[in-house]
Amino acid sequence: MKKIAKILAVIILIFLVLPVVLSSKFSMSRSIEIEAPVAVVFSKLTDLNEYIKWNPFPEGDPTNTADVTGTGVGSFMAWKGEKTGEGKMTIATIEPEQKIAIKMEFYKPMSAEGMVHWITKATSDGKTQMTWTFDQDLGYFNRYFGLFMDAMMGKHFEKGLSNFKALVETTK
């Protein structure tokens, strides 16, 4: 019994101490090249009504609803669904034809905040390189999530970029 108690104590100690060495920040990015000028691509990004059309996260959640309020800086989209949870994304800043910063607020299933950046760059051949980045500060025990968030979210970013590319290239 003492041996089991010692093993259990070591496991608990490791669980409590390990976050000290894990990163307190999480960041991931995915990019795609779009066959359209940067102005066309950027115009689709500044309107959250367009985001609803290419957003990969509600796919497979028929209960998901999303409502957009406003345009430009300060506009936001609130969403709610059984699988997607509940949250709000707000356009914080716009650097024309370069970058959009979006504050992400997650309410359910867990409370958290993060930042999304959509970055566009014109290529020499008239196309656009678009990068979708997500950054989040992780609380002490949430640092464990940082170990597998890229694997969980990366496929959604790739699907979203593919959706966005198709939307832009068929409507330019």
Side-chain angles (χ1 to χ4, degrees), residues 6-172:
K6 285 181 182 180
I7 291 171
L8 188 57
V10 168
I11 291 171
I12 290 171
L13 184 62
I14 290 170
F15 177 76
L16 293 174
V17 175
L18 186 58
V20 169
V21 298
L22 296 176
S23 178
S24 64
K25 298 195 180 294
F26 171 75
S27 183
M28 64 166 277
S29 295
R30 297 294 190 273
S31 296
I32 199 165
E33 188 172 86
I34 301 168
E35 293 191 35
V38 72
V40 172
V41 170
F42 204 81
S43 70
K44 296 278 188 199
L45 292 174
T46 57
D47 183 352
L48 294 177
N49 288 295
E50 292 292 321
Y51 176 69
I52 289 174
K53 297 174 186 175
W54 60 274
N55 179 6
F57 292 100
E59 292 177 5
D61 186 352
T63 66
N64 187 77
T65 59
D67 296 302
V68 175
T69 302
T71 58
V73 174
S75 63
F76 64 90
M77 182 190 84
W79 75 87
K80 187 175 189 177
E82 287 178 20
K83 292 181 182 177
T84 55
E86 184 176 349
K88 179 179 170 184
M89 58 189 292
T90 305
I91 295 180
T93 61
I94 297 174
E95 296 174 36
E97 298 187 11
Q98 294 177 37
K99 183 178 181 181
I100 299 170
I102 298 171
K103 180 180 180 184
M104 301 295 298
E105 299 170 89
F106 305 98
Y107 307 133
K108 292 180 182 176
M110 295 173 42
S111 179
E113 289 186 1
M115 288 298 293
V116 161
H117 296 97
W118 291 329
I119 302 163
T120 57
K121 183 178 180 183
T123 64
S124 60
D125 56 357
K127 298 176 185 176
T128 301
Q129 181 75 27
M130 180 185 159
T131 302
W132 186 359
T133 300
F134 177 73
D135 299 305
Q136 184 176 25
D137 290 329
L138 301 172
Y140 191 76
F141 288 112
N142 286 341
R143 294 175 188 182
Y144 284 110
F145 290 114
L147 296 173
F148 54 88
M149 282 177 62
D150 191 283
M152 287 179 16
M153 292 177 51
K155 62 186 174 200
H156 295 292
F157 275 40
E158 290 163 9
K159 175 69 170 149
L161 288 170
S162 177
N163 292 349
F164 183 70
K165 175 181 173 78
L167 175 71
V168 171
E169 290 180 356
T170 58
T171 61
K172 55 180 176 169

